[in-house]
């Protein structure tokens, strides 16, 4: 089979599918891309309104609007633990917000660009990544000052008003306070530039908060949105609705009894983080679809969760009787830790008779 569509490298995979397989992929796509709004969406929109308003305010109201006649930029910082759903929240909001047309649409103008901070913690690498996102050809390694001296003219040339740096904490791994202050000063310069002040959006984990607290001038330029953990009393109904909606999207039926406390187990398994909890539901729906079942059961949650972490039954919140006492935080820790699987053998559970 000839493959000629260079613009879509997955075209040949779709060409291999029959009608039923293609329908399955379409269902999976809908399940995986479903987005659920919550109070955090409304709070983010409120803060973004302030930012977009600030981008329009003239320094001198008697002069026409121009890049050099705008007040200094402000910053918005979104903070949450890994798995809280920061990136998904921002990506979805930016994609649908009228102030950010064509965000992530190739070869179309958008007033917002977004990059992920490289893990190197190198300030120059941020400048290079910004240039690459703007389509600037970086033919050789640029020194830090060279990258940043080229970035601002490119931002101006492309009429960029908003600059988003995701996982800013990747830049903060250096131990020198002098280096950290250099990062602060560089970001302040983006907001302060008299010819083209930018509105800055950053996101990362709570460990980066001291980075803001150490500089009073830097701290006052920002407003903060902290993505709190979910609470059973406040969010069980939200998760129940999400489960039911994903079942409907996946064309399966939820088959879990109330005494199985599915949402309680789910909250605990997801470390009470919204992003992780939704991720677990999606994986459970995928497990049911893989088994050609028309029902979603607790065993699907148990099996998909065990597959993800190679867990023994006594450490699986969807199986263990004493699931409240299981410390799931270690599962999401970056540090390697051996899991004791000697008490109960690791294995997948049978779903019983298919229906």
């Amino acid at each position: 089979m000839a493959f000629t569509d260079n613009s879509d490298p997955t075209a040949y995979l779709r060409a291999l599918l029959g009608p039923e397989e293609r329908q399955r992929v379409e269902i999976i796509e809908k399940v995986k891309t479903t987005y659920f709004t919550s109070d955090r969406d409304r709070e983010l929109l409120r803060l973004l309104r302030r930012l977009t308003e600030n981008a329009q305010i003239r320094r001198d109201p008697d002069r026409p609007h121009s890049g050099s006649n705008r007040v200094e930029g402000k910053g918005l910082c979104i903070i949450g633990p890994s798995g809280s759903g920061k990136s998904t929240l921002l990506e979805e909001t930016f994609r649908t917000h009228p102030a950010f047309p064509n965000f992530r649409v190739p070869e179309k103008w958008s007033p917002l660009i977004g990059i992920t901070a490289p893990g190197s913690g190198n300030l120059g690498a941020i400048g290079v990544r910004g240039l690459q996102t703007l389509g600037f050809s970086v033919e050789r390694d640029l020194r830090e000052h060279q990258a940043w001296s080229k970035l601002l003219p490119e931002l101006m040339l492309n009429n960029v008003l908003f600059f988003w740096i995701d996982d800013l904490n990747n830049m903060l791994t250096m131990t020198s306070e002098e280096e950290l202050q250099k990062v602060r000063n560089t970001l302040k310069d983006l907001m302060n530039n008299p010819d083209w002040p930018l509105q800055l959006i950053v996101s990362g984990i709570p460990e980066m908060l001291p980075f803001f607290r150490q500089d009073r001038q830097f701290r006052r330029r920002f407003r903060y949105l902290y993505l709190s953990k979910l609470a059973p009393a406040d969010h069980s109904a939200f998760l129940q609705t999400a489960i039911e909606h994903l079942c409907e999207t996946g064309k399966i039926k939820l088959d879990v009894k109330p005494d199985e406390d599915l949402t309680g187990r789910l909250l605990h398994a997801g470390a009470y983080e919204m992003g992780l909890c939704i991720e677990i539901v999606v994986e459970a729906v995928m497990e049911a679809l893989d088994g050609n079942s028309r029902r979603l059961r607790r065993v699907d949650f148990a099996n998909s969760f065990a597959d993800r972490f190679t867990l023994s039954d006594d450490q699986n919140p969807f199986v263990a009787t004493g699931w409240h006492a299981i410390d799931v935080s270690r599962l999401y820790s970056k540090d390697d830790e051996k899991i004791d699987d000697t008490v109960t053998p690791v294995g997948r559970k049978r779903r019983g008779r298919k229906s």
Side-chain angles (χ1 to χ4, degrees), residues 23-32 249-251 289:
Q23 184 180 35
R24 169 184 159 81
V25 171
E26 290 173 356
I27 289 174
I28 291 171
E29 183 177 65
K30 290 178 181 178
V31 169
K32 284 193 168 186
T249 303
K251 301 185 184 302
L289 292 173

Side-chain angles (χ1 to χ4, degrees), residues 51-68:
L51 211 61
T52 56
E53 288 173 345
N54 192 69
Q56 304 170 55
I57 296 176
R58 289 174 290 180
R59 189 183 301 274
D60 182 352
D62 294 327
R63 290 172 49 207
H65 286 278
S66 69
S68 60

Side-chain angles (χ1 to χ4, degrees), residues 131-148:
L131 288 169
Q132 291 171 333
T133 302
L134 290 167
F136 184 87
S137 178
V138 182
E139 298 178 352
R140 57 186 175 83
D141 290 339
L142 296 176
R143 294 182 181 274
E144 182 179 300
H145 74 278
Q146 292 174 318
W148 284 95

Side-chain angles (χ1 to χ4, degrees), residues 231-241 261 263-264 267:
D234 298 327
H235 298 102
S236 291
F238 169 83
L239 283 179
Q240 183 67 28
T241 300
D261 199 0
T263 56
L267 280 162

Side-chain angles (χ1 to χ4, degrees), residues 27 42 65 70 144 153 162 177 243 252 278 291 306 333 340:
I27 289 174
R42 290 182 282 276
H65 286 278
R70 292 202 300 263
E144 182 179 300
F162 306 90
E177 177 56 34
I243 295 170
I252 58 179
I278 298 298
S333 171
D340 183 8

